[in-house]
Amino acid sequence: MKATAIAPANIAFIKYWGKADDVLRLPLNSSLSMNLSGAQTVTTVEFSPDYKHDRIDMTGETMSDKERERVSSHLDRIRMKAGTKLSARVVTKNNFVKGTGIASSASGFAALTVAGCAALGLNLSEKELTILARLGSGSACRSIPDGFVEWVKGYSSDSSFAYSLYPASYWDLRDILVVVQKGQKKVSSTEGMEGLRTSPLWQARIAGMENKIARVKDALEKKDIRLLGETIEEETLNMHTVARSQNPPLLYWTPKTEEIMTVVRKWRSKGLVVYCTIDAGPNVHLICEARDEQEVTKKAKSLTDVWSVGVNKPARGAHVVGDDLF
Ligand code: DP6
């Protein structure tokens, strides 16, 4: 009754910002993302009658009681499916810093779902796994299928799931992640999006969604980096403008974030085909094609006062692996 899974974080091209149902984690809009090869979580789950209660640890990081409770509640969902009351030991390890705008909850809950189900011998389809992962953290459902993924918003728990639009090998894109600030962000995505409806702009955001989703899908189909890039920058500005206009306002960017956005425009005006996208944090994801990886990485590394620059390729989704963490 022990299994280990690995799951990638993902970068949202079309972002999930706001829920139609808080408990079921039904989103207000569908979203699109790419799994990231360089930001992964490995999780081992073991259920045993020897454990009197759940014990949850994250290697190299501290966890709050609230975070542990969220993991335990997710284990409850998995236990319910398997019809067991056994407690579990969970050890999880990220190869990136938690809570910096890299979606650690996405890779975390995807890995937990796949490892937990495998440990109890539950034979769920990929679609069922995405629905289960979604209940832990919305964006986690997008870390289960391979490569480029759509999370269909749906209208009920069973109709809100994720699936792979294209495998990781489909388009050799790069996400050059520029980490401008280390450490946990002050307002989590969960809390942040709770205030969505305080923004006078939220309905306009949702009204424009279908068109924007169609453009990103079109760009993916045609492998059109310019159309993709222009649309994801528009989407980033839209999400952050809404977040900034919430009450209380959410200012996820630092001056460095804006400086990078400006310099990326300058690089582009000189012919380098690279675009920005930013989740709920200050770090900037530079999206380009493989042929521009070296140039973009070199330029990103020449920026002053940035914490790190990492290269991500499109990655496969969550899956079981052989090496247990304990
Ligand atoms: C800005 O999936 O972390 O990264 O469902 O409350 O756990 P919860 O939210 P979460 O939100 C991610 C928000 C985002 C955009 C995105 O990844 O789509």
Side-chain angles (χ1 to χ4, degrees), residues 10-19 22 25 29 31-33 70 101-106 109 133-142 151 185 188-194 205 235 239-240 252 278-281:
N10 64 74
I11 179 65
F13 292 157
I14 294 288
K15 302 187 188 292
Y16 149 53
W17 193 252
K19 296 177 175 76
D22 287 346
R25 285 192 147 79
N29 60 271
S31 52
L32 299 169
S33 60
R70 195 167 160 187
I102 307 164
S104 63
S105 70
F109 279 93
R134 189 202 77 229
L135 294 163
S137 175
S139 56
C141 73
R142 295 192 314 243
W151 170 13
K185 62 194 170 199
S188 71
S189 306
T190 308
E191 280 173 73
M193 67 175 82
E194 271 169 19
R205 167 168 170 78
E235 164 62 352
M239 186 201 106
H240 285 270
Y252 282 118
I278 305 162
D279 278 347

Side-chain angles (χ1 to χ4, degrees), residues 16 18 78 92 101 122 134-135 198 212 214 219 222 247 263 279 315:
Y16 149 53
I78 298 170
T92 188
L122 280 168
R134 189 202 77 229
L135 294 163
T198 62
K212 224 186 305 176
K222 295 176 180 146
N247 183 11
V263 83
D279 278 347

Side-chain angles (χ1 to χ4, degrees), residues 6 14 50 72 118 124 134 142-143 162 182 195 197 209 263 287 309 318:
I6 187 164
I14 294 288
D50 295 343
S72 245
L124 301 189
R134 189 202 77 229
R142 295 192 314 243
S143 287
K182 215 180 82 150
R197 289 173 181 80
M209 258 313 162
V263 83
I287 307 295
V309 174

Side-chain angles (χ1 to χ4, degrees), residues 126-138:
E126 180 182 275
K127 181 175 172 181
E128 288 169 322
L129 286 168
T130 71
I131 291 168
L132 188 52
R134 189 202 77 229
L135 294 163
S137 175

Side-chain angles (χ1 to χ4, degrees), residues 17 192-196 198-200 241-250:
W17 193 252
M193 67 175 82
E194 271 169 19
L196 175 78
T198 62
S199 163
T241 303
V242 169
R244 279 166 172 252
S245 65
Q246 289 178 201
N247 183 11
L250 296 172

